[in-house]
């Protein structure tokens, strides 16, 4: 991996693939074994720990963590902790961004230095069609922007989840109340307009 990155003129980095369940239903990978892999396909810790150590021994200082949705991996937090312990100085997380607003501060505190969120189109309807999650384009962008502006919770997470009421209601916290209010207001506006 490092040789190929250097050939492309990019700094060398190791790509750790953490297979786990994904929030999206992107047409290019939404099939059994990828978006909701069986336990046998989840990347085991017995592969993660040694991989981190070996890549650090090779002199790599930058770690890219990818996979179907690495942040849902059962050893994601442990991998971040181990990456810091063995000396990775840069950690890039490739994520769908669905939980970015909710977890950005914790991830940064655990050593994530960059986050890569795919936007498949500047047109929200095209992006949402690709990922199979209506409203994800503007929800992900808004949640990220609000977090980067240090807007306090529960606002960024509520905005990021306003098209995911089930998820918000399962959280059973302040976000639940805000999402319920936003959805009620949306419905009232719709009814009054019609």
């Amino acid at each position: 991996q490092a040789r190929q990155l250097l050939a492309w003129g990019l700094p060398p980095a190791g790509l750790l693939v953490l297979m786990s369940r994904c929030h999206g239903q992107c047409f290019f990978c939404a099939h059994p074994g990828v978006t909701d892999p069986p336990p046998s396909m989840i990347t085991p810790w017995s592969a993660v720990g040694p991989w981190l150590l070996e890549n650090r021994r090779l002199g790599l200082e930058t770690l890219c963590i990818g996979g179907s949705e690495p942040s849902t991996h059962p050893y994601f937090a442990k991998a971040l902790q181990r990456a810091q312990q063995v000396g990775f100085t840069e950690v890039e997380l490739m994520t769908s961004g669905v939980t970015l607003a909710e977890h950005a501060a914790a991830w940064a505190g655990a050593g994530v230095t960059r986050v890569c969120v795919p936007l498949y189109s500047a047109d929200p309807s095209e992006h949402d069609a690709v990922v199979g999650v209506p409203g994800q384009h503007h929800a992900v962008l808004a949640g990220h922007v609000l977090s980067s502006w240090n807007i306090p919770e529960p606002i960024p997470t509520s905005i990021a989840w306003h098209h995911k009421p089930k998820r918000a209601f399962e959280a059973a916290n302040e976000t639940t109340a805000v999402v319920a209010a936003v959805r009620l207001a949306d419905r009232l506006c719709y009814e009054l307009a019609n």
Side-chain angles (χ1 to χ4, degrees), residues 3-4 17 23 51 70 75 77 86 89 93-94 109 116 119 121 123 125 134 137 157 165 170 185 188-189:
R3 281 191 295 267
Q4 186 59 56
V17 178
H23 302 293
W51 186 96
Y75 297 117
V86 300
T89 58
L93 172 62
M94 294 182 271
C116 178
L119 290 176
S121 174
D123 178 332
S125 63
H137 184 273
T157 300
E170 287 171 350
L188 289 172
C189 289

Side-chain angles (χ1 to χ4, degrees), residues 132-172:
V133 180
Q136 192 209 23
H137 184 273
H138 76 267
V140 166
L141 285 177
H144 176 65
V145 168
L146 293 172
S147 287
S148 71
W149 290 345
N150 296 316
I151 302 297
E153 288 296 340
I155 303 303
T157 300
S158 299
I159 297 303
W161 287 3
H162 74 277
H163 288 293
K164 297 182 173 300
K166 179 180 178 202
R167 182 167 194 196
F169 296 143
E170 287 171 350

